[in-house]
Amino acid sequence: MRIVSSLPSIVAALVFVAACSAAAPEPVMGGSPPPPPPPAPPPAAAIPTEKPADAAPPDATGKTAEPAPATSAMATPAPTPVPSAEPSACPPDMQLVEGEYCTEVEHKCKKSWFDKSNKKTVCEEFEPTSKCVGKKVKKRYCVDTYEWPNQKGVRPEVMNRFHQAQIKCASVGKRMCTESEWNFACEGPEMKPFPHGYVRDAAKCNGDHLWDDPNMKKVAARDGDELARLWKGVPSGSQPNCISAFGVADMPANTDEVVASEQPKGSRHALYDSVHTGGPWYKGVRNQCRPKVYTHDEDFYYYFLSFRCCAEADGKATDPRTPWQIRDKWTVQKVEKRAGFTIAEMQKKLDQKKQGQCTCAAHDILCKTMCGTLLGPGAVDAKH
């Protein structure tokens, strides 16, 4: 089997219906005290504050309220992270990613199987070679070592909508990672299909858990007990063999991640700014570096969906807006409105978390989303 991996060429949009208890693990589009926050990288760039007349978003719904979720073998040695030649290029909680990124990579599958529930062929082992059949683009940027809140030993935070994740990144002087940035940080300079090599291993990157029929009404209500029941993740940094050559941890499997689109306007995958990557902890899903899902809008959130942040290297100012938002002349205020909270309000919550005082009323969903405390206390980490 010959597999060519590129941003527009691999899409795993899978059908999910909330009313169906036998749904596939990956949904389609829809709509512990907290530790201190990580140190902030360089300050963000100055962003226009007046709303331009032509500021038309990719999703022009104008929604600001919290929406409902989707309805709908050979072991490979653990990679040795490449040490940064310039430790000051990135903050201590981030890794420098630098080199030539290939826009389209060819991998040949040696061993695969078909998952009926997702109607997806899963490659278990690739030929140990990667061929660049696209263009090479020079890149140099910083990426969080772990998923938000980017701290070793802390569970990756889930249940954020796209713009909420974006404002959280902006609150620490960072931005959302793009598709290609996530790819490069995961696959490394050798363009591996998995961060640890060419053989899929769910014991290295937490995966292959059985589908557990989420109660979608409870997920929509952010029911802490239901979110705890569904939790099959592991804390950040607890997978020593799930580390890329650039030293970035926990990228495929465990929690899925959301990144910013780089699809050209008018292309068949240019639906939303929100793109999903990595794949969740379930069996029979896309747990590789390159495959993407392009069918979730910016208001989508889910119990296994997380994110991490990126920033410019070498102390350069970081614009918190996405490539699409820059193209369409969005302001940060417009992003804040979509998120439901501002950068300043999020920074206040981070200060409260640092003091162990980020507490919320029982039904204050927005507060719990900002504090990252939606997951009920009954959650048990997966064993791997």
Side-chain angles (χ1 to χ4, degrees):
M1 181 186 298
R2 174 177 175 273
I3 299 178
V4 177
S5 302
S6 65
L7 294 183
S9 66
I10 294 189
V11 181
L14 306 170
V15 178
F16 180 93
V17 180
C20 179
S21 62
E26 295 194 80
V28 197
M29 69 178 184
S32 129
I47 306 302
T49 56
E50 294 184 2
K51 180 178 178 181
D54 59 347
D59 173 17
T61 62
K63 290 184 284 187
T64 58
E66 292 288 329
T71 58
S72 31
M74 294 172 61
T76 305
T80 301
V82 178
S84 171
E86 304 175 54
S88 62
C90 297
D93 63 342
M94 304 185 85
Q95 301 295 326
L96 176 65
V97 178
E98 180 180 23
E100 288 191 329
Y101 170 75
C102 179
T103 60
E104 192 171 355
V105 177
E106 179 182 289
H107 293 124
K108 293 182 180 180
C109 185
K110 289 175 60 178
K111 181 182 178 182
S112 65
W113 61 281
F114 184 75
D115 182 80
K116 292 182 179 179
S117 63
N118 283 322
K119 298 181 175 61
K120 176 179 174 58
T121 298
V122 178
C123 186
E124 291 288 339
E125 182 177 359
F126 290 91
E127 296 283 353
T129 57
S130 301
K131 181 180 179 181
C132 180
V133 294
K135 297 179 180 179
K136 290 188 176 182
V137 182
K138 290 185 178 180
K139 289 185 177 290
R140 180 181 172 87
Y141 57 96
C142 301
V143 59
D144 280 353
T145 304
Y146 309 111
E147 292 157 308
W148 182 274
N150 192 24
Q151 291 181 311
K152 186 174 183 178
V154 176
R155 288 169 176 160
E157 188 182 302
V158 295
M159 297 291 287
N160 289 278
R161 294 188 283 111
F162 180 85
H163 297 113
Q164 292 173 336
Q166 185 179 359
I167 292 300
K168 288 187 176 185
C169 286
S171 72
V172 292
K174 303 177 185 179
R175 57 173 171 77
M176 298 291 284
C177 297
T178 64
E179 298 176 69
S180 62
E181 287 173 336
W182 201 95
N183 288 351
F184 199 21
C186 179
E187 66 190 15
E190 295 181 24
M191 304 175 290
K192 298 174 183 175
F194 309 102
H196 47 75
Y198 292 87
V199 180
R200 184 177 181 276
D201 191 336
K204 289 181 178 179
C205 296
N206 176 39
D208 279 3
H209 295 284
L210 298 179
W211 181 239
D212 41 17
D213 296 316
N215 182 318
M216 296 307 298
K217 289 184 178 180
K218 290 185 177 181
V219 173
R222 276 81 159 185
D223 182 88
D225 291 338
E226 177 66 1
L227 298 180
R229 180 185 74 84
L230 296 168
W231 176 258
K232 298 293 186 297
V234 296
S236 294
S238 63
Q239 304 180 106
N241 294 313
C242 192
I243 301 175
S244 77
F246 287 117
V248 186
D250 312 325
M251 297 202 83
N254 205 35
T255 54
D256 203 6
E257 295 189 38
V258 63
V259 294
S261 176
E262 292 173 294
Q263 296 301 307
K265 194 171 184 177
S267 68
R268 66 190 183 96
H269 297 314
L271 299 173
Y272 308 108
D273 204 352
S274 173
V275 177
H276 292 195
T277 184
W281 52 60
Y282 287 118
K283 186 178 181 66
V285 297
R286 49 183 170 86
N287 292 333
Q288 292 174 228
C289 292
R290 289 246 170 177
K292 300 286 179 283
V293 166
Y294 294 94
T295 53
H296 303 278
D297 69 20
E298 293 84 0
D299 286 332
F300 182 89
Y301 59 90
Y302 216 46
Y303 64 90
F304 56 59
L305 183 63
S306 184
F307 67 99
R308 74 182 71 214
C309 309
C310 284
E312 309 308 322
D314 310 310
K316 294 180 181 178
T318 295
D319 189 332
R321 297 174 300 170
T322 68
W324 279 26
Q325 291 167 357
I326 294 172
R327 178 197 72 192
D328 293 332
K329 299 181 175 63
W330 278 43
T331 63
V332 170
Q333 287 76 13
K334 186 170 185 175
V335 182
E336 290 175 328
K337 184 177 181 181
R338 293 292 180 88
F341 52 84
T342 66
I343 292 173
E345 288 170 339
M346 188 62 221
Q347 288 172 334
K348 184 177 179 180
K349 289 296 186 186
L350 291 177
D351 288 339
Q352 291 175 352
K353 288 186 71 173
K354 187 176 181 180
Q355 302 299 323
Q357 299 175 351
C358 203
T359 57
C360 308
H363 300 293
D364 193 340
I365 298 302
L366 187 61
C367 175
K368 290 183 177 181
T369 299
M370 296 173 73
C371 290
T373 54
L374 288 169
L375 187 64
V380 177
D381 295 327
K383 295 182 179 180
H384 60 95

